[in-house]
Amino acid sequence: MSEQRCRDLRVEHERRPLAVASPEPRFSWVADHAQTAYRIEVVDRAGITVWDTGRVPDGAGALIPYAGRPLRPLEDYTWRVTSWSAYGELREESHFGTAPDLSRWEAPWIEPAQSPTELERWSLMDWIRGSGPTTDPSERLRPVQLVRQRIALTEAPVRARLMVTARGVYSAWLGGERVGDEALAPGFDSYRHRMSVQTYDVTEHLQGGPTVLAIALADGWWAGRIGLTGSSAQFGDRTAVTWELHLTMPDGRTEIVRAGTGAISAEGPWTYADIFVGERYDARRAQQWTSTTFDDSGWAPVAVREGELSPLVAFSGEPVRRVMELPARSVTRTNDGVVVDFGQVIAGRVRLRIPALAPGCEITIEHTETLDAQGDWFVNISGINKEQTDVYVSDGRAVEWEPEFTFHGFRYARIRGLDALIADDVSAIVISSDLEYTGRFETSDPRLNRLHENVVWSQRGNFLSIPTDCPQRERAGWTGDMQVFVAAATNIARVTPFVTRWLENLRADQLPDGRVPIFSPRSAFDDEAITTASGFGSIVAAAGWSDAIAIVPWTLYERTGDVRILEDNYPAIQGWIAFQTATAAAEVPPALAGAELSAERRERQRLLYNTGEHFGDWLTPSTMEGKPTHEAIGIAPALTSELAAPMFQAHTLTLASRIAAVLGRANESQEYASRADEVRDAFAREYVGADASLPVELQGMYALALGLDMIPDHLRDAAAGRLVDLVHARGDHLDTGFLSMPYLLDALWDAGHRDLARAVLWQDRAPSWLYEVDRGATTIWETWDAVAADGSVREMSLNHYAFGCVDDFLVRRFAGVAPAAAGWRRARIAPDIEAPLDRVSAAVDTPFGEITSTWQRRGEVVDVEVVLPFGVEAELVLPDLTLTLHPGRNEVTAASSVRLTV
């Protein structure tokens, strides 16, 4: 830390963004010195200073909001930061661009000639029964459409920006060269409310003279099969694209080329492409259609749709990209094709080196996350429209090929048509939103290390345009998954832009009555489906799922200090609270319907949001055992919803109070705090016995009640004791469901039962995290017994990140790294040096730089090393020792306690 630097300059959390959406972007940097003052200067292309803060006596360097002249849309700016310390000053420079003014968008939608997609719709029960289409995919899927528009340029522009969005997903070429490196652009949005426009710097693509803008357009999430049922055309039945090309010429003139001027279309070599089903590429139909010299005389005119623009928004966050390539781990020849093991469950697709074959020969690629107990092929995700199969039809030439408009969840691929395939001929391409993975965690226990890596891979596989539950079956943005995992996600990667974008979709999907949907994006198809459904299929909003609207922003604020996240989501939080409050006042649980209630009890019930259909503590293990899934799935919701709903109601009220305080809304903060107290008091009087008992004797209810502060102070020890008894009754195994999983280990830890928390974590029989690790898991499973001890496989997802929330516990408790104030201005480093480990090391990224915590057992002592960035105040808490830490390297040697055995 002796080197004095000012580095990692960012605008709105991103390095050198090309098209920042915010009119008042925030500026951040890391100062590797004790900053005493800063100065920010922003200069436009003409060299005119549009903002100069002057010297500001402040050590801050995170999220400083722009306060200069209004920034022009679609403009480029240079910004400089000067950082002063006692040793002098440092200056660094970076760049950013602004998004286009989409209120002035004039380009129409270009709709290629195509037959509309006939809505193929199935209910939840259809999906459970596995009923659905039996026809070949080519009979129910459409070809990818190709669009060309010729552009005549008298000279090369000095600056060119291409803005594109699509109803569907697209790939673009300009001047015969690929535009950008995104995959599945523009990504998944709540298309009814917002369409993201992506901006590209295409200056180098244009040399003057005639050129062609070429776009391939597939169904994607817009018209393809999506969601649990795999029904099609949920947002629309025709694909379309719109674009504007803004050019700055050498003499300073600005020209705009818009979609619609002579655009033409044709079907391409992709005879179909669907993100669930897969795609089929017929190389015999491939032509040099992106070239300026291509003969397109046989192409058809497009339909120009004026005045049909959905609300356009500037794309934010990280796009989906090909982020990694994995080699084949093994290649096994079977009687039914070649099975390739890539050694890791991923979201992505296969890349093949295909030799010269007879024209018309087909190569098929099937995908699965696991093999069966005998090592034979096993399709672990069944249902409608989930084939996960890609097809390549040879034109006789050798080629390297990978799909363009689909992705799959898999570890294994079965390839037919290439019997001589060797490992060097095949690789797996990992597809994900291109986040920066910054966190590290490592211990002397290889199984814990593998568990951490499994969490990382599940995050990578499911943070794909939106935070999905799984990359093979649903790929939906479930709010419950996100709220239980968001804390762990922040330790692993820089997730703020990605999650902020999803929250924008979630707010757009919020209903007028304040209900926050259980997943987002949400379509008109989803709205219609619930009108004819019952049970789980009728749920629009649910306790613990909808509360993500408060939990996720607050967690991001705690980890980043980003107040704007709170400002943006606060009205939606208020709307959700208003719905909970109104429902509580109007309804009573079914058991009390028609009952004579005392005035006191009636008033308590009016405070409690404890009615309606909810998922409750979903997938509680003991409720699933020994029963068919379709019977067991509803037991935990029926038992736990009435308790879980008011607990999350109180939690959201508490978070709303904290958020209001941060936003300077003191009266509202006090009001929400008082209402939270009233709900907790009513809950305690209604549901907590004098002996701290709850009506439902499950671990999850006690873990939630303790974690969400629903137990009166004088009963907390007794409630913790009851939780301990329930854990012991299960042989020191967890028995927590979806909502309570993040709270179990902390509830035991905070109550002084650290030995038991460690014992639960280190269990190697199901249900447990290490059971999965011992069975070769490379991601987090949807259910603890997705693969049984005998190797038999259930039809469940092997890539669900939600239970990976345990990774936050590993970092906070074993490495001891936790924020003590929003944005890590203060940190508490309290490593568990009594853990049955010889070494633990972790690194967590903060707005001020990286915090690392490492401890190593050495005989009778433990060496602890903590490295802090400048700007972070911290204390080290060890048994019988508390120390103030300073920026830089801190080294402490402490007496070692007797090691525990787990």
Side-chain angles (χ1 to χ4, degrees), residues 608-775:
L608 297 173
Y609 176 58
N610 57 1
T611 59
E613 290 279 355
H614 301 277
F615 298 110
D617 206 17
W618 185 253
L619 297 181
T620 297
S622 62
T623 66
M624 303 292 294
E625 293 168 354
K627 310 174 188 68
T629 299
H630 70 278
E631 293 179 9
I633 206 76
I635 296 175
L639 287 173
T640 63
S641 290
E642 186 178 335
L643 293 179
M647 286 198 251
F648 277 94
Q649 176 196 10
H651 187 44
T652 291
L653 284 166
T654 296
L655 295 182
S657 174
R658 295 174 184 170
I659 292 169
V662 173
L663 300 180
R665 299 169 177 257
N667 291 339
E668 292 173 13
S669 176
Q670 182 57 50
E671 177 188 352
Y672 285 132
S674 297
R675 290 169 62 181
D677 289 342
E678 291 174 347
V679 171
R680 286 189 170 91
D681 181 69
F683 178 90
R685 293 176 182 275
E686 191 71 19
Y687 297 116
V688 181
D691 58 353
S693 62
L694 294 172
V696 178
E697 289 290 311
L698 287 172
Q699 291 178 24
M701 293 303 93
Y702 287 93
L704 275 177
L706 289 165
L708 299 182
D709 198 22
M710 303 302 293
I711 303 292
D713 289 345
H714 69 283
L715 293 176
R716 288 187 66 85
D717 288 345
R722 299 185 78 91
L723 174 60
V724 167
D725 290 343
L726 289 169
V727 174
H728 285 323
R730 294 282 296 174
D732 293 353
H733 284 79
L734 62 87
D735 188 35
T736 37
F738 210 86
L739 293 181
S740 61
M741 187 59 61
Y743 298 93
L744 174 64
L745 298 181
D746 280 314
L748 294 171
W749 194 276
D750 290 336
H753 301 281
R754 295 187 177 188
D755 292 0
L756 184 55
R758 297 185 190 102
V760 170
L761 176 66
W762 260 280
Q763 278 289 354
D764 58 6
R765 292 178 293 112
S768 71
W769 290 278
L770 295 187
Y771 169 85
E772 298 179 10
V773 169
D774 289 347
R775 273 131 198 93

